[in-house]
Amino acid sequence: MSLRLVTEETPGRGLVAVALTVAAGGDDDPPGRHGMAHLVEHLMFPRGEGHEAGGFVALVQEAGGMCNAETHRDHTVLHTVVPADALPDVLALEARRLLRFRPAPATVRSETAVIAEEIRAAGAGARLWDTVLAALHPGARHAYGTTAELTRATAEEAESFFRAHYRPERAVLSVVGDVDAGRVAALVEREFGAWAPGLPTAPHIPSGHVPSLHRPTLGAPIPYARDGAPIPYARDGVAVGHALADPRRDFRLYVAQVVLCELLRRSRLPHLVATAPEVDAATGQCGYQGQWLASAAPDLALVLLGRVPGAGTEEAVGRWLEALGELAATPPEETELRRAARVLRAGCHRQSDSLPARAVTHARAALLLPRATPDALPAHLAAVTPADVSTAARALLAAPRTVHPLEGAAA
């Protein structure tokens, strides 16, 4: 069996979390079907017919558990937590939805409607991130999808995508909780032994459809151009996107940039607002909506600057680059660094208390980021030094960046 299994025994809680992580995400969407990976994720929660009328979610809830899923640019994760004695049933359900993936056209239509609502609800912040990501990393795009393209998706296309990407050699199953590792291995062999490698097939796009030649944006298209044309937004400002280090190639630098972004958010950006006459607001995010290590690469740091009336984009960006340059030239004080690192470490510890989060992190580490195991991350953060932060700032200044003016609606 080529499916990789990761098991962590955490006795005494009476619960178990199961995460199936597959190396298929938004960057694998076929041309003209932005969001296909997201759609297949939704279709992995079948409503069912006959004796399965309750569907996967209802059967898990009936056992006293809960389940959810996430589609990222380079992977999709399906995670479930149930009482430990329900593990055999959950593994059987997990294998069944893999082995019996045959979406009906009506289900595809209903799930594309659900995704369209998710896209609408994502708001301007998510669309802005998608725009900046596409400008900084041509070919990369967020995984939500594009409503206009998904409404044309067919059951055959979804099944073709599934057969090409949902294969055991591209997946990791992680089981964390009140379990015995040997018993877990036996159950997984029994339930998933029939899951054989699939044959990659190209998704069928109807001949009457001409795939778009541009990278679609999240939801309704947002006008922008690489030459600095304004993006409609809630207020006047500027968005600056910086390429982060690839954590697979230089994990230490990536972690130092995570700490750098938190330090900037906590102390340097408020100081910038207080001292720069051109800027009246400043926020920063590291990773998609602040989720660092949510994907391997490419990833970015996004800084949003509010411009006072009359201030130009160049002046606001110049102030930001000066603040970043100060850290590149002079390492921060140990106290300032520790405050930022402690916040990040506390967040890691809170996540590690959650069995589903541990299962997801274990699977993601096995599939994409081997150094990012749940208990290792706090130590990596604590090891960042002031000199590392300066190095991280210099790397951010030297890396590709993109600037997008933000234009608020006229009063």
Side-chain angles (χ1 to χ4, degrees), residues 24-35:
D27 286 348
D28 299 296
D29 291 340
R33 289 295 183 267
H34 182 201

Side-chain angles (χ1 to χ4, degrees), residues 27 48 95 123 149 151 214 236 240 265 289 389 402:
D27 286 348
E149 296 187 8
T151 54
H214 67 282
D236 288 347
V240 186
R265 187 186 70 82
Q289 303 297 305
V389 172
T402 183

Side-chain angles (χ1 to χ4, degrees), residues 245 250-258 388 391-393 395:
D250 196 335
F251 190 77
R252 180 176 177 179
L253 177 58
Y254 180 92
V255 172
Q257 289 181 331
V258 171
D388 290 335
T391 299

